[in-house]
């Protein structure tokens, strides 16, 4: 393995690792955002239904 190939392999591992950790930390925030939006939507629908009664 030549030095350039070694550097390319290290760059690939670095990008792969950064992507993994970014997903690892961002997925919980996205899930929190989606679940919070769904809960708010349900609350609005319930309030709308009570206002109509």
């Amino acid at each position: 393995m030549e030095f350039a190939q070694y550097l390319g392999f290290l760059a690939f591992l670095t990008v792969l690792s950064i992507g993994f950790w970014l997903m690892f930390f961002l997925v919980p925030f996205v899930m929190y955002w989606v679940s919070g939006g769904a809960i708010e939507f349900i609350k609005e629908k319930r309030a709308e239904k009570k206002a109509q009664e």
Side-chain angles (χ1 to χ4, degrees):
M1 181 180 271
E2 295 177 15
F3 187 68
Q5 288 176 325
Y6 178 69
L7 286 180
F9 179 69
L10 284 180
F12 170 75
L13 284 182
T14 301
V15 169
L16 187 71
S17 177
I18 288 171
F20 170 76
W21 287 110
L22 185 65
M23 289 296 293
F24 186 76
F25 287 113
L26 286 182
V27 165
F29 291 111
V30 171
M31 295 304 287
Y32 175 74
W33 176 62
V34 168
S35 61
I39 290 170
E40 286 298 318
F41 181 75
I42 291 169
K43 284 182 182 178
E44 286 177 14
K45 287 294 182 185
R46 285 183 183 169
E48 217 175 86
K49 201 178 229 185
K50 276 189 178 182
Q52 286 179 355
E53 289 178 355

